[in-house]
């Protein structure tokens, strides 16, 4: 029996969250088959072997260059059958999670999303999920023979354990009905570090006073190879794009390091960052609630501290 | 046009989370409940569509009797009638199955949900319902416009968005800025009292999910403060103590 891992790509490159999914699957101690859909660079696919995939399937159907939820679920259903896989693992993402839902309903699998640790298989198959927006966890048992799980970022570390493998071309015949939704266009920030996948996030709040002051945060982010984020009012006022909004009603991040600048630390904001490994808070108000959730804190004026911090990091490199 | 809006009854976003019964049950003691924030966007968009195109809006919740005030609030915001499927919303598949079974014979043109519930955080009920009903599902949706039978949507993806088109019927998991949250006015609150609220018994199903227990995160160790004129110390701590840089 094999594990099937769905790997996502963007601009021909495998996404980091999907490599984590392959590493996660390897941690389960069974043969791992990875499957990628649409246009992906050959070397990227082969490299999945280094992260532990014994087999890499690639469906090069042009219609799958875009992430069509239903069509993707159809392909994965067929691949699970052909690979004799009972378990499908996907990254928790804007594509992975909806695809997971559709395929789970199709094949009658037990479904758990937002899984944060390797399953416990000593008695049954039990996973730990993050719930209440990071404020709690639930241990749930998946009792059906077929299982679909989506894993949150940082649920597994990327580990090189093997060598590149040959890619196996794979085809599934898809009907018009699988493409009932059409993607007409897409807008994507290119070349930047994407917020949901970043290892380091530099985030600004209303304390930054206006969009014209973001350049100091961008400089810091660039120095750290970090993504930029913001609080809800900042994106509501149009200072920053909506996809940078972090929190309960925005992106939930789980980076190694989250640097919050001029953000008060409202509970709804904290809900989006409480899975970060380390939190640094810079705020001029010593009473700002964010300090209670922080690992390191500096009380002071962001406009003075941030440029100095950027310089100090450059100097330490 | 018939629109179904599925709403959750969830703890207010500022709630402290606790569990009882040996960590197997949510402790609702002192907790305020609200319509899920994403579901509130879905509801607001449905009410807008009702105002612009005369749709009929039904709100539905899978939950026990205590969720009725939340359904009444949705009626006050502008839904025409409400349905409560009388069961504990144990897991995503169970909920989706109940919604699909209720919706199938009625044949809604549009089923709006939130992108995710803020208790289960599954982000999956819309996809499950779409598959169970054999109709497309799209999430997370930031914009939704209907022109005759054709729906134009935009969906958030990592670092950007996609524009999509599909035909009705369709399931959408909504988020901002699809519409602005609506606050019920006095007239809405008065009329909500007499709008129909139907209670339906659940159907049997096995979702293949069993809750074992809940757990709270370990308390955070206290913050280490650094003087504002000593950013070098922060850099050194991040490097040597936290081992990040
Ligand atoms: C249902 C609901 C959902 C919500 N979802 C979210 C969400 O997802 N994400 C989110 O962020 N919010 C969310 N909110 C809003 C949230 O409650 C707060 O209002 C918001 O997070 C505050 O943003 P802020 O910290 O940027 O602004 P403020 O609260 O105004 O804080 C600004 C901070 O900047 C500091 N400051 C000012 N000047 C300086 C300076 N020169 N240097 C350093 N510090 C300075 C101040 O001391 C203050 O602490 C939600 C609210 C509700 C009701
Ligand atoms: N108990 C419920 N009753 C009605 N709708 C629900 C229920 N649970 C979830 N939903 C809907 O499904 C969406 C996604 O939920 P989830 O998959 O739990 O994140 C929510 O935003 C709601 O619109």
């Amino acid at each position: 029996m094999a594990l099937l891992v769905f790997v996502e790509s963007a601009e021909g490159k495998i996404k980091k969250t999907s490599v984590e999914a392959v590493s996660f699957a390897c941690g389960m101690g069974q043969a791992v088959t990875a499957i990628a859909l649409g246009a992906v660079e050959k070397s990227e696919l082969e490299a999945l072997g280094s992260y532990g995939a014994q087999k890499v399937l690639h469906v090069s159907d042009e219609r799958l260059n875009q992430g069509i939820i239903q069509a993707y679920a159809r392909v994965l259903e067929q691949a699970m059958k052909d690979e004799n896989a009972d378990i499908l693992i996907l990254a928790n993402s804007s594509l992975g999670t909806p695809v997971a839902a559709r395929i789970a309903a199709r094949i009658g699998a037990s479904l758990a999303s937002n899984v944060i640790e390797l399953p416990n298989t000593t008695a049954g198959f039990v996973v730990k999920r993050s719930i209440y927006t990071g404020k709690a966890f639930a241990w749930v048992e998946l009792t059906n023979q077929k299982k679909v799980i989506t894993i949150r970022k940082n649920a597994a570390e990327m580990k090189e354990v093997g060598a590149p493998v040959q890619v196996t071309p794979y085809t599934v015949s898809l009907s018009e009905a699988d493409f009932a939704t059409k993607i007409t266009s897409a807008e994507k920030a290119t070349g930047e570090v994407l917020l949901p996948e970043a290892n380091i996030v530099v985030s600004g709040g209303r304390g930054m006073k206006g969009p014209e002051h973001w350049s100091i945060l961008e400089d810091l982010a660039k120095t750290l190879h970090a993504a930029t984020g913001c609080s809800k009012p900042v994106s509501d006022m149009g200072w920053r794009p909506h996809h940078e909004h972090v929190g309960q009603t925005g992106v939930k991040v789980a980076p190694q390091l989250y640097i919050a600048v001029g953000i008060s630390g409202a509970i709804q904001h904290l809900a989006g960052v409480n899975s970060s490994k380390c939190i640094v808070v810079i705020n001029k108000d010593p009473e700002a609630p964010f300090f209670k959730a922080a690992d390191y804190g500096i009380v002071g004026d962001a406009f003075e501290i941030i440029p100095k911090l950027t310089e100090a990091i450059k100097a330490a490199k | 046009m018939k629109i179904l809006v599925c709403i959750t009854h969830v703890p207010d976003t500022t709630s402290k989370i606790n569990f009882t019964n040996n960590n197997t049950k949510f402790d609702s003691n002192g907790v305020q409940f609200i319509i899920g924030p994403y579901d509130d966007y879905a509801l607001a968009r449905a009410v807008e569509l009702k105002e612009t195109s005369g749709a009929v809006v039904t709100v539905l919740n899978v939950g026990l009797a205590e969720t009725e005030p939340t359904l009444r609030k949705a009626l006050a915001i502008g839904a025409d009638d409400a349905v409560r499927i009388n069961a504990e919303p144990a897991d995503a598949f169970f909920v989706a199955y109940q919604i699909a079974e209720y919706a199938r014979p009625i044949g809604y043109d549009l089923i709006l949900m939130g992108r995710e519930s803020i208790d289960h955080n599954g982000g999956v009920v819309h996809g499950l319902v779409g598959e169970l009903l054999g109709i497309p599902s799209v999430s997370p949706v930031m914009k939704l416009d209907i022109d005759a039978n054709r729906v134009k949507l935009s969906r958030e993806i990592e670092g950007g968005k996609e524009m999509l088109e599909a035909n009705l019927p369709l399931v959408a998991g909504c988020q901002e800025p699809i519409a602005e949250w609506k606050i019920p006015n006095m007239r809405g609150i008065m009329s909500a009292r007499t709008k129909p609220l139907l209670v339906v018994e659940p159907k049997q199903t096995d979702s293949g999910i069993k809750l074992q227990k809940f757990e709270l995160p370990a308390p955070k160790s206290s913050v280490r403060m650094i003087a504002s004129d000593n950013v070098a110390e922060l850099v050194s701590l991040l490097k040597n103590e936290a081992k990040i840089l």
Side-chain angles (χ1 to χ4, degrees), chain A residues 205-207 209 231-233 245-250 262-264 266 268-269 283-285 300-303, chain B residues 13 181:
Chain A
R206 201 141 58 173
K209 306 275 188 311
S231 66
K232 178 167 155 57
H245 153 201
V246 172
Q248 176 104 52
T249 48
I263 304 178
S264 57
Q268 296 93 352
H269 187 84
N283 195 303
K284 71 171 185 190
D285 174 10
D301 183 358
F303 300 100
Chain B
T13 52
W181 284 332

Side-chain angles (χ1 to χ4, degrees), chain B:
Chain B
M1 186 166 66
K2 285 183 285 193
I3 305 179
L4 180 68
V5 182
C6 301
I7 62 166
T8 52
H9 161 88
V10 288
D12 174 341
T13 52
T14 60
S15 308
K16 268 204 108 100
I17 304 300
N18 285 301
F19 301 103
T20 60
N21 283 21
N22 217 356
N23 281 325
T24 57
K25 201 174 176 310
F26 178 76
D27 182 1
S28 57
N29 215 336
V31 172
Q32 286 256 25
F33 284 85
I34 56 168
I35 298 175
Y38 295 111
D39 314 342
D40 231 350
Y41 287 118
L43 177 61
R45 186 66 190 122
V47 172
E48 282 178 4
L49 289 170
K50 171 179 159 172
E51 282 158 4
T52 54
S53 64
V56 177
V57 178
T58 301
V59 277
L60 178 150
N61 170 259
V62 181
L64 299 176
E66 75 244 14
T67 73
E68 289 195 2
T70 302
L71 280 168
R72 289 275 173 218
K73 186 173 172 209
L75 291 171
I77 288 171
D80 298 292
D81 61 344
V83 177
R84 180 172 68 81
I85 299 177
N86 187 29
E88 183 85 47
D91 60 75
F93 183 83
F94 177 84
V95 168
Y97 185 80
Q98 304 307 329
I99 295 173
E101 287 295 304
Y102 180 79
R104 188 177 292 113
I106 297 173
Y108 291 97
D109 302 288
L110 184 62
I111 302 182
L112 296 182
M113 306 194 188
R115 71 172 283 174
E116 73 178 49
S117 57
I118 66 165
D119 50 1
H120 286 279
N121 293 131
V124 291
V125 169
H126 24 74
L128 289 167
V129 169
E131 189 64 44
L132 290 171
L133 294 176
I135 61 177
S137 56
V138 183
S139 176
V141 173
M142 303 165 73
K143 197 167 176 291
L144 182 151
D145 290 304
I146 299 175
D147 185 5
N149 197 32
R150 197 81 182 145
V151 194
K152 289 192 174 155
L153 312 113
S154 86
R155 184 175 94 88
E156 184 164 78
I157 54 174
E158 283 74 15
K161 59 182 173 185
E162 264 170 14
M163 270 47 81
L164 300 100
E165 285 187 28
N167 287 338
L168 293 175
L170 173 97
V171 186
C174 306
Q175 70 169 43
E176 64 183 339
I178 193 162
E180 297 226 1
W181 284 332
K182 292 198 187 317
I183 298 159
N185 59 27
M186 212 48 213
R187 225 182 83 229
I189 294 168
M190 296 304 287
S191 68
R193 291 185 189 159
T194 52
K195 285 181 181 171
L197 192 164
L198 180 71
V199 178
V200 179
E201 288 308 315
K203 297 223 170 136
Q204 280 291 334
T205 178
D206 177 13
S207 56
I209 291 287
K210 252 198 252 151
L211 173 78
Q212 292 201 329
K213 63 169 194 280
F214 295 118
E215 185 185 311
L216 291 173
K220 186 117 191 158
S221 58
S222 61
V223 53
R224 173 144 177 190
M225 297 306 291
I226 295 148
S228 63
D229 57 2
N230 199 2
V231 289
E233 189 191 343
L234 176 63
V235 176
S236 135
L237 284 168
L238 288 175
K239 213 171 170 165
N240 304 316
E241 192 179 79
K243 303 210 184 319
I244 293 164
L245 299 184

Side-chain angles (χ1 to χ4, degrees), chain A residues 122-139:
Chain A
T122 46
F125 188 101
V126 181
V127 298
K128 186 178 184 179
R129 303 186 58 235
S130 170
I131 56 168
Y132 291 102
T133 326
K135 289 191 231 172
F137 307 105
W139 293 87

